[in-house]
Amino acid sequence: MCARQHASAYVPLRRAQRICRPDQPRNGTARRSVRRAERQQRRPDHEGHRIMKAPAAHLAHHFDDIQGMLRSGYGWLQDSRFWLLTIRDGQETAARAWLAKFVESGVITNAKEVGKSRTHPIAKAAAIAFSFSGLTKLGCVEDDIFPFPTPFRSGMGSDARVLLLRDNPRAWRWSDVDGDSGDAVHVLIAEWTKRGVGPIISRPDETIFRTIQIDNDPCSFRKLEGDKEEKLREAFGFRDGLAQPVIRGLKQDDNVRLLRSEKDKDKKEADALYDDRVVQPGEFILGYRNEYDELTYCPDVKGWGPSGLAKHPGGRFALNGSYLAVRQIEQDVAAFDRFRELNGQDICNKLMGRQDNGWPLPWQYDPGNPKTDSELDAFRYRVDDANGFMCPKGAHIRRMNPRDTLGVDIQSSIQSTKLHRLLRRGRPYREDSNGETRKGIFFIACNADIERQFEFVQQRWARNPSFVNLHADDPLVGSSDPQTFPKALSLPGLPSGGEVSLANFATTLGGGYFFLPGLAALRFIVGEEGAAKFATSELAEAAAP
């Protein structure tokens, strides 16, 4: 059974993992040996208690090694640009030199610098990440004992992930694996700047890289009635960037940069529900405790130990890093405007799950009583709107973050939801070509466990027609096949019959999984010592009797 032939069909997670495995032999004896090898490979992931006996890294001591985008989405930097780079064959050394020069320029901010941004303003910032094929291209080879997780190694565009996520990479413009969309993207560079500062990168060397450039939508930051300052809005006109998780010990400060002494004030503003969104750092940063109270699994690469770059004694290569689930999602603004004209703004708000100004649907908007972003995130569904009369159960935001609705009680629901949170770092983009303007979201989600976070949300919540017995996908990012899964939104309490037909408002144009390394690991990747020391160790092994 080919995954791509059945990409539109919903397949349970465990069943999908059993089928369309090109690496799994049909022969029973051979399959048993493969399963044994898989168990050995998974052991570092699932027997983390052995690793936990080693002294864990202290998060506050590693702020200078964590890329700044894990601490903030740079909400005060209005312009953004994303580069997708494919290293040309034979240009690996030149690519490493170009990337090393970029890293040495100092534009890649760290979490410590972000924490000081109130007193030492940041006017421009960048981040860099690599696909698995990119790491391989640059000479990094995963360790035999601590390999990279299967989703990252196989890639978002691989057959196995296609079946799980119900994607269609054949129609994509780019991917993290070689295929119909072309050669795999190896490097992702994100840059954010203040308006008027200008881009950080003018253009990568075309003799070294094949390049895809995703430009900022200059209209994404707007000041509307009732706003004291410009707010980030996506192409359909809704506030974006709200309802972010707060990393314990690494304050997320997207739009308002707060000093550590102001943390209590911010918590007071968000009322007692502040703790609903405080999540352990190991959910997003590798090597720290997660919501299971276990140290998040850290892969390793050959040559890392002898390099002497580890920031923590015995720390593996992936410490202080994260995985990025990246998608380029085009939004059909004309179709959404027609839907809005036909059904009204209130129905659009119910489809999205918030008012367009960012206020929760059960709240009465009061322009004379402005709310902070923390206050706008201080609500639950179970008590105020259990049946979805105000915010439908199938609304986009309610599906992506069910809060307190899916467990047996409020606390178990919130704890369960924390196991699947995503730290969003994307921005709206705009393309102008042939006299036509296209808009969308360059979606970036930071997570430490791709299967348990991004893939779970996509497969179990967004693209699961059985989600809370709705018999429909997410109204925005659900299946694009209206014959298999009709696009509709159930609206309890409406005299019209309780269901609104929808158009296909969003289309995925590309996607991939990337590894966001800590800064020490980044220097290893782009430095000569990474490839040189690995080559030396390989020669030594080959010469050994």
Side-chain angles (χ1 to χ4, degrees):
M1 181 182 296
C2 177
R4 292 185 177 177
Q5 292 175 347
H6 299 273
S8 62
Y10 170 72
V11 180
L13 182 62
R14 290 184 179 178
R15 180 186 166 204
Q17 291 172 336
R18 292 197 301 266
I19 61 180
C20 200
R21 287 287 304 276
D23 61 328
Q24 190 175 71
R26 301 287 182 183
N27 178 274
T29 304
R31 188 183 300 123
R32 283 194 293 273
S33 64
V34 169
R35 287 174 177 170
R36 188 181 305 113
E38 288 177 343
R39 285 195 300 271
Q40 292 173 350
Q41 176 177 299
R42 289 195 301 264
R43 190 166 296 143
D45 293 273
H46 298 281
E47 296 189 5
H49 60 280
R50 296 182 181 179
I51 302 168
M52 283 191 288
K53 293 180 180 179
H58 194 288
L59 184 64
H61 298 163
H62 290 259
F63 284 0
D64 61 349
D65 191 50
I66 298 171
Q67 292 200 46
M69 69 174 291
L70 288 175
R71 188 165 192 176
S72 175
Y74 303 111
W76 65 92
L77 303 180
Q78 299 90 344
D79 291 342
S80 61
R81 181 178 290 181
F82 303 94
W83 299 94
L84 301 167
L85 308 180
T86 298
I87 302 170
R88 297 182 184 274
D89 290 340
Q91 296 295 322
E92 292 83 359
T93 301
R96 192 181 296 110
W98 188 94
L99 292 169
K101 185 176 180 180
F102 177 74
V103 171
E104 292 168 2
S105 69
V107 296
I108 300 178
T109 53
N110 60 49
K112 186 175 182 179
E113 293 169 329
V114 172
K116 296 180 178 179
S117 60
R118 183 183 177 106
T119 55
H120 298 78
I122 295 174
K124 58 183 179 180
I128 186 168
F130 304 86
S131 65
F132 181 77
S133 59
L135 290 176
T136 303
K137 190 80 170 176
L138 291 170
C140 293
V141 178
E142 63 180 340
D143 185 77
D144 296 330
I145 300 177
F146 300 105
F148 283 100
T150 298
F152 175 67
R153 190 192 310 112
S154 59
M156 185 185 289
S158 65
D159 286 348
R161 304 347 276 182
V162 166
L163 188 62
L164 286 171
L165 302 175
R166 289 168 49 202
D167 281 330
N168 182 22
R170 289 181 176 177
W172 288 2
R173 297 181 183 177
W174 60 271
S175 175
D176 55 350
V177 299
D178 296 330
D180 296 319
S181 58
D183 294 336
V185 171
H186 297 142
V187 186
L188 166 65
I189 297 179
E191 58 175 82
W192 302 267
T193 58
K194 270 189 169 297
R195 189 176 290 133
V197 169
I200 295 175
I201 301 174
S202 57
R203 189 75 183 179
D205 191 331
E206 293 287 350
T207 64
I208 303 173
F209 304 103
R210 283 189 292 275
T211 304
I212 298 176
Q213 178 180 333
I214 313 287
D215 281 326
N216 170 71
D217 181 358
C219 300
S220 58
F221 278 88
R222 287 175 279 167
K223 185 177 180 180
L224 301 182
E225 182 181 358
D227 293 338
K228 290 186 176 181
E229 58 185 11
E230 291 182 327
K231 302 290 187 180
L232 180 64
R233 295 177 182 271
E234 48 77 52
F236 296 153
F238 286 81
R239 279 286 311 277
D240 197 13
L242 295 170
Q244 296 275 23
V246 175
I247 301 177
R248 187 180 300 278
L250 189 70
K251 177 83 173 60
Q252 197 272 49
D253 47 5
D254 219 9
N255 293 317
V256 181
R257 286 163 284 164
L258 301 174
L259 293 174
R260 192 175 300 175
S261 61
E262 293 180 278
K263 181 176 179 180
D264 292 338
K265 177 183 177 182
D266 188 51
K267 183 174 181 178
K268 182 179 180 180
E269 288 174 347
D271 205 8
L273 303 185
Y274 178 88
D275 288 337
D276 287 6
R277 58 191 176 106
V278 177
V279 181
Q280 292 290 350
E283 293 297 310
F284 308 106
I285 309 174
L286 301 178
Y288 299 92
R289 295 200 178 275
N290 57 25
E291 287 295 323
Y292 285 111
D293 196 28
E294 297 176 350
L295 294 183
T296 305
Y297 169 64
C298 275
D300 209 353
V301 297
K302 295 182 179 180
W304 169 250
S307 73
L309 293 173
K311 297 289 291 184
H312 181 72
R316 293 198 288 275
F317 172 77
L319 178 66
N320 296 325
S322 185
Y323 297 108
L324 309 183
V326 180
R327 285 180 179 255
Q328 183 181 355
I329 303 173
E330 181 178 281
Q331 297 173 260
D332 192 336
V333 178
F336 196 85
D337 287 343
R338 290 192 296 269
F339 178 84
R340 180 163 24 217
E341 183 177 355
L342 180 64
N343 296 280
Q345 184 63 46
D346 287 344
I347 298 299
C348 292
N349 291 350
K350 287 181 177 292
L351 180 153
M352 189 67 69
R354 278 186 186 268
Q355 300 176 47
D356 58 348
N357 55 27
W359 283 50
L361 288 176
W363 295 9
Q364 182 67 37
Y365 175 61
D366 180 5
N369 182 26
K371 300 288 186 182
T372 66
D373 289 357
S374 289
E375 289 176 309
L376 292 178
D377 197 23
F379 66 93
R380 294 171 174 170
Y381 295 118
R382 186 182 290 262
V383 175
D384 298 332
D385 191 24
N387 294 315
F389 288 108
M390 300 298 293
C391 179
K393 293 181 178 180
H396 171 65
I397 289 174
R398 187 160 179 168
R399 292 183 79 128
M400 303 305 286
N401 181 13
R403 297 179 185 261
D404 62 331
T405 59
L406 297 184
V408 296
D409 55 36
I410 290 177
Q411 291 305 319
S412 66
S413 299
I414 292 172
Q415 188 59 38
S416 175
T417 299
K418 287 184 178 183
L419 298 173
H420 313 293
R421 294 303 307 271
L422 300 172
L423 190 66
R424 307 186 317 279
R425 290 295 183 251
R427 286 287 182 94
Y429 74 88
R430 187 177 79 177
E431 291 181 350
D432 296 309
S433 62
N434 301 323
E436 187 178 8
T437 297
R438 297 176 178 271
K439 295 186 176 183
I441 289 284
F442 194 77
F443 174 85
I444 300 176
C446 307
N447 49 178
D449 189 325
I450 296 173
E451 285 183 295
R452 179 166 58 81
Q453 291 170 272
F454 174 76
E455 290 188 345
F456 182 97
V457 170
Q458 283 291 109
Q459 213 235 3
R460 295 297 191 183
W461 292 349
R463 295 185 171 181
N464 180 3
S466 300
F467 180 81
V468 294
N469 299 317
L470 290 175
H471 308 292
D473 278 358
D474 184 285
L476 291 181
V477 297
S479 170
S480 59
D481 184 357
Q483 295 181 351
T484 305
F485 298 101
K487 304 281 284 187
L489 177 66
S490 298
L491 299 172
L494 281 188
S496 62
E499 190 170 89
V500 174
S501 297
L502 306 174
N504 186 33
F505 297 128
T507 303
T508 303
L509 301 183
Y513 293 138
F514 295 84
F515 173 63
L516 183 82
L519 295 179
L522 177 58
R523 288 190 288 272
F524 178 85
I525 295 170
V526 303
E528 295 294 338
E529 70 275 1
K533 289 193 175 182
F534 169 66
T536 301
S537 64
E538 288 288 279
L539 289 173
E541 290 179 9

